[in-house]
Amino acid sequence: MVRRKPYPHNTDILNAIMRVLSREPLIKPMEFPDKVRRELENEGFYVGLVSTRRIWRVYEDAVRRGFIYDYLGVVVGFGYSEEEE
């Protein structure tokens, strides 16, 4: 019998985000969701229903809660901004 792959929870997505950012801290925001999906797939999760919007929502929530720094500079008010120059 073939066992189905599990769906990832938000904590699984957050762990994948942190692994991707630790390996590639200078990743471009356009490449980020695909790399997170690939990481989840390598961990054995079914990523067919993991949307780009969900990945960004988990990323933004983690930045706002202080779990991770906004390395990608996409959350307003957190991380690097051009006003600091």
Side-chain angles (χ1 to χ4, degrees), residues 29-68:
M30 293 296 290
E31 300 170 357
F32 181 67
D34 292 330
K35 299 252 183 180
V36 171
R37 275 192 209 95
R38 196 170 308 126
E39 181 70 28
L40 287 168
E41 200 166 28
N42 290 341
E43 290 293 316
F45 290 105
Y46 175 69
V47 295
L49 300 175
V50 178
S51 67
T52 301
R53 185 176 183 180
R54 182 175 176 197
I55 292 170
W56 284 117
R57 186 178 38 220
V58 170
Y59 176 84
E60 181 180 1
D61 185 50
V63 169
R64 292 195 185 278
R65 289 178 183 237
F67 294 139
I68 59 175

Side-chain angles (χ1 to χ4, degrees), residues 18-37:
M18 293 192 316
R19 283 192 301 271
V20 167
L21 289 176
S22 68
R23 274 198 312 263
E24 302 178 44
L26 301 177
I27 190 171
K28 295 178 182 176
M30 293 296 290
E31 300 170 357
F32 181 67
D34 292 330
K35 299 252 183 180
V36 171
R37 275 192 209 95

